[in-house]
């Protein structure tokens, strides 16, 4: 099977001003090569400042890369714009960290899920589709939640609303940027289970970005470890977590919290 | 000789709403021993930060301490004159609130912020440079940070600075509310290790409050789990880990993902946090408990002793545990 998305020597430099006239460059990503296949969850792991969110934003075209190429189903999309970019954006969707900020407080949950269906000119019965999506993310019964507003439901449910919203467009790729770090411990596992379920049922590829190795070990098939913009280690999750080679990966594993450990 | 560092008796804290007063912390009793790290765990809305503020008597309107006693050094903090309270803060006990690293004055160098603190307690800063250097050393910061502004330091360094400030006047008790939230995993791990080393070396009593159960179990000697403003389980760390007596603690521990441990459909909590109903006669945990039975909704459970120093608040124990 072919990759859904693949990057080739992706590099991103940010410019910062130093003094009055000087400009210095910071490399946020340095020759990053990653790939994602259908029906798999790939983890991008790193501490803050490692460039993991920059990578996500480049993949959804919120940032432009400085150099390097992005392939979507073997087609070079590095320079797409206009209509073809719009089409591509339907295929790749992003879930953000803060479910409290990503929903509009003035609108009902039904509105949030309906919007993408309307704007994408969904051809079938919109109400049926909304019910189907809400059932998929386990916001059941749908009637109970439809007319509620974001502040009336918990953080975990808000994250589900957001997931239903992005699934409305039938994307082939989901990018989840720290989707559970703002949630309470008791709600995290449900959202992670939901991601696995979506992967299995819809066969889509998910990129899961996090600094938390514990959750990575639970949901991902493969991981890439990023450090200062470079991929320092990649491979199957189990292999890396049990026998890491890179010093940075070892430090991350050492720092991962575990109630059965003692500091 | 009394062994407790601080004792909380029948504490009631609540919040004023538009037309009523709702209790968050209800009849709270707790005694914290000298020289231990006491961990307090709870989800958002469980009242753990309110509790921390109440101990330091810094609850602000609309919050209000309704009644109760907090005995520290044979005196009731809640009945102290404001001036006396100001004197013992930082010198005898200090509080690092949530997101404390953002509490530093952005337009003042770190050095002068240390001096301000000393002056407020009537100590001449010029003579205390050695003391400042020694607390900076404790938290493994270089002396050069004194000449930096807060924005020149990283988040972890700012947090270390705040911890150093709180230790400056040799307090016997330090309350830490989510001290590492918002920090990077690696930095978090380092700071936790340093805190534990300082605590063990100088015998400071620490109250450590967080929602991150894994961290809490890593660092604490004794742990209290709080749900809806009440202790649902309290005990030594090892006992709580191996012989959980309350479903809340048991299930949260089961639901923490760990490296290399496969989860086979663990039993999950039902419902959502923060739906606390004050007037509900039964167990507050009733709606979220997968083991709950009709009796749970009728009578409010009392705190019972399981073994030495290990308490739980559940009617169905040990019945529920036989099923798992």
């Amino acid at each position: 099977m072919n990759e859904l998305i693949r990057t080739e020597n992706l590099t991103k430099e940010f410019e910062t001003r130093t003094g009055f006239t000087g400009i210095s460059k910071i490399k946020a990503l340095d020759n990053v090569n990653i790939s994602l296949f259908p029906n798999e969850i790939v983890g991008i792991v790193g501490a803050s400042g490692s460039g993991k969110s920059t990578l996500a934003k480049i993949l959804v075209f919120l940032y432009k890369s400085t150099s390097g190429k992005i392939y979507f189903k073997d087609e070079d999309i590095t320079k797409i714009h206009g209509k073809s970019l719009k089409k591509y954006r339907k295929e790749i969707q992003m879930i953000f960290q803060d479910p409290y900020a990503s929903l509009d407080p003035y609108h009902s949950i039904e509105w949030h899920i309906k919007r993408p269906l309307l704007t994408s000119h969904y051809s079938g019965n919109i109400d049926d589709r909304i019910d189907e999506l809400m059932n998929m993310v386990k916001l059941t019964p749908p009637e109970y939640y439809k007319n509620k507003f974001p502040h009336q439901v918990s953080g975990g449910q808000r994250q589900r609303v957001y997931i239903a919203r992005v699934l409305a467009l039938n994307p082939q790729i989901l990018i989840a940027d720290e989707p559970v770090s703002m949630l309470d411990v008791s709600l995290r596992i449900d959202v992670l289970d939901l991601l696995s379920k979506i992967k299995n049922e819809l066969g889509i590829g998910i990129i899961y970005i996090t600094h938390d190795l514990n959750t990575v070990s639970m949901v991902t098939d493969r991981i890439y470890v990023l450090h200062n913009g470079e991929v320092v280690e990649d491979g199957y999750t189990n292999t890396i977590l049990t026998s890491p080679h890179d010093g940075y990966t070892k430090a991350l594993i050492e720092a991962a919290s575990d109630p059965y450990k003692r500091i | 000789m009394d062994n407790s560092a601080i004792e909380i008796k029948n504490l009631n804290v609540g919040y004023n709403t538009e037309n009523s007063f709702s209790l968050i912390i209800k009849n709270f009793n707790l005694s914290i021993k000298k020289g231990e790290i006491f961990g307090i765990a709870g989800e958002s809305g469980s009242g753990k930060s309110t509790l921390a503020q109440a101990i330091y008597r810094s609850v602000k309107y609309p919050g209000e301490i309704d009644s109760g006693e907090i005995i520290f050094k044979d005196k009731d903090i809640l009945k102290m004159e404001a001036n006396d309270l100001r004197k013992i803060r930082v010198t005898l006990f200090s509080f690092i609130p949530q997101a404390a690293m953002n509490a530093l004055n952005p337009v003042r160098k770190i050095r002068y912020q240390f001096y301000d603190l000393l002056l407020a307690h009537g100590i001449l800063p010029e003579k205390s440079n050695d003391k400042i250097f020694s607390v900076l050393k404790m938290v493994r910061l270089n002396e050069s940070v004194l000449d930096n502004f807060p924005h020149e330091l990283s988040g972890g360094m700012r947090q270390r600075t705040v911890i150093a400030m709180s230790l400056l006047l040799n307090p016997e008790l330090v309350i830490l509310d989510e001290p590492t939230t918002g920090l990077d995993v690696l930095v978090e791990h380092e700071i936790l290790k340093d805190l534990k080393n300082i605590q063990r070396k100088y015998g400071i009593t620490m109250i450590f409050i967080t929602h991150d159960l894994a961290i809490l179990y890593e660092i604490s000697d004794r742990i209290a789990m709080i749900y809806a403003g009440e202790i649902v389980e309290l005990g030594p760390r090892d006992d709580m880990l191996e012989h959980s007596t309350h479903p809340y603690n048991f299930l949260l521990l089961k639901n923490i993902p760990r490296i290399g441990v496969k989860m086979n459909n663990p039993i999950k909590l039902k419902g959502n946090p923060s739906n606390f109903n004050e007037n509900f006669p039964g167990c507050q945990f009733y709606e979220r408990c997968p083991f709950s039975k009709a009796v749970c909704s009728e009578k409010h459970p009392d705190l019972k002793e399981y073994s030495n120093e290990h308490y739980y608040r559940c009617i169905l124990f040990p019945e529920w545990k036989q099923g798992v």
Side-chain angles (χ1 to χ4, degrees), chain B residues 42-84:
Chain B
E43 284 177 288
S44 24
S46 63
K48 56 191 190 315
S49 287
T50 312
L51 178 69
Q53 287 168 13
I55 298 174
Y56 203 57
R57 212 177 118 188
S58 62
V59 179
K60 288 195 186 74
Y61 190 83
E64 198 178 314
I65 298 174
D66 188 52
S67 61
E69 283 174 55
I70 296 174
I71 311 289
F72 178 63
K73 299 226 138 210
D74 300 326
K75 278 184 193 146
D76 186 353
I77 292 173
L78 301 182
K79 291 201 181 68
M80 247 178 217
E81 294 287 327
N83 219 9
D84 295 338

Side-chain angles (χ1 to χ4, degrees), chain B residues 38-174:
Chain B
F38 189 86
I40 298 178
E43 284 177 288
S44 24
S46 63
K48 56 191 190 315
S49 287
T50 312
L51 178 69
Q53 287 168 13
I55 298 174
Y56 203 57
R57 212 177 118 188
S58 62
V59 179
K60 288 195 186 74
Y61 190 83
E64 198 178 314
I65 298 174
D66 188 52
S67 61
E69 283 174 55
I70 296 174
I71 311 289
F72 178 63
K73 299 226 138 210
D74 300 326
K75 278 184 193 146
D76 186 353
I77 292 173
L78 301 182
K79 291 201 181 68
M80 247 178 217
E81 294 287 327
N83 219 9
D84 295 338
L85 182 66
R86 194 177 57 80
K87 275 183 198 151
I88 67 161
R89 281 182 176 166
V90 188
T91 58
L92 287 182
F93 75 140
S94 57
F95 176 40
I96 303 178
Q98 217 165 342
M101 61 184 188
N102 304 324
L104 294 168
N105 186 342
V107 292
R108 215 162 152 71
K109 283 184 179 169
I110 303 291
R111 178 187 301 276
Y112 299 106
Q113 304 200 35
F114 271 101
Y115 287 179
D116 288 346
L117 175 63
L118 290 164
L119 283 170
H121 286 274
I123 300 163
L124 285 179
E126 286 75 21
K127 291 180 183 165
S128 306
N129 273 333
D130 287 346
K131 183 65 204 161
I132 296 178
F133 293 158
S134 79
V135 286
L136 286 178
K137 211 172 162 189
M138 263 193 214
V139 296
R140 296 205 286 128
L141 275 177
N142 200 302
E143 287 164 18
S144 65
V145 299
L146 288 175
D147 293 313
N148 286 125
F149 287 101
H151 72 265
E152 294 173 307
L153 307 176
S154 69
M157 285 163 90
R158 285 204 297 266
Q159 188 69 29
R160 282 170 195 272
T161 309
V162 173
I163 294 171
M165 279 182 177
S166 73
L167 298 173
L168 185 60
L169 299 174
N170 302 322
E172 292 169 22
L173 173 77
V174 181

Side-chain angles (χ1 to χ4, degrees), chain A residues 47-48 154 157 184-186 189-190 193 211 213-214 217 248 251 254-263, chain B residues 43-44 184-186 189 192-193 211 214 217-221 237 241 255 257-259 263 268-269 272 288:
Chain A
S48 26
S154 74
Q157 286 167 339
D184 271 319
V185 196
S186 62
I189 198 162
D190 275 345
D193 276 351
H211 67 263
L213 278 174
N214 292 316
S217 78
Y248 181 71
E254 158 81 22
S257 57
D258 181 341
Y260 290 85
K261 267 197 315 207
R262 277 304 247 169
I263 285 183
Chain B
E43 284 177 288
S44 24
D184 182 75
V185 253
L186 295 170
H189 191 65
L192 290 174
K193 272 204 279 194
H211 70 279
Y217 270 92
E218 282 185 355
I219 198 168
S220 312
D221 300 318
R237 179 253 183 197
L241 194 61
N255 279 302
R258 289 164 59 209
I259 292 179
M263 287 203 215
K268 288 175 197 152
L269 292 171
N272 292 298
R288 302 199 63 199

Side-chain angles (χ1 to χ4, degrees), chain A residues 14-75:
Chain A
F14 286 106
E15 288 181 351
T16 53
R17 282 182 177 215
T18 50
F20 284 107
T21 50
I23 285 175
S24 72
K25 284 180 176 169
I26 295 169
K27 251 190 188 164
L29 288 181
D30 192 359
N31 287 316
V32 171
N33 297 301
I34 65 158
S35 59
L36 174 72
F37 291 88
N39 201 12
E40 82 167 344
I41 302 186
V42 163
I44 311 266
V45 183
S48 26
S50 60
K52 49 195 195 318
S53 290
T54 308
L55 177 60
K57 285 179 182 161
I58 289 176
L59 292 180
V60 294
F61 283 76
L62 289 174
Y63 285 158
K64 265 195 185 133
S65 56
T66 313
S67 66
K69 287 197 162 79
I70 306 170
Y71 294 92
F72 177 65
K73 294 188 165 175
D74 292 331
E75 184 191 341

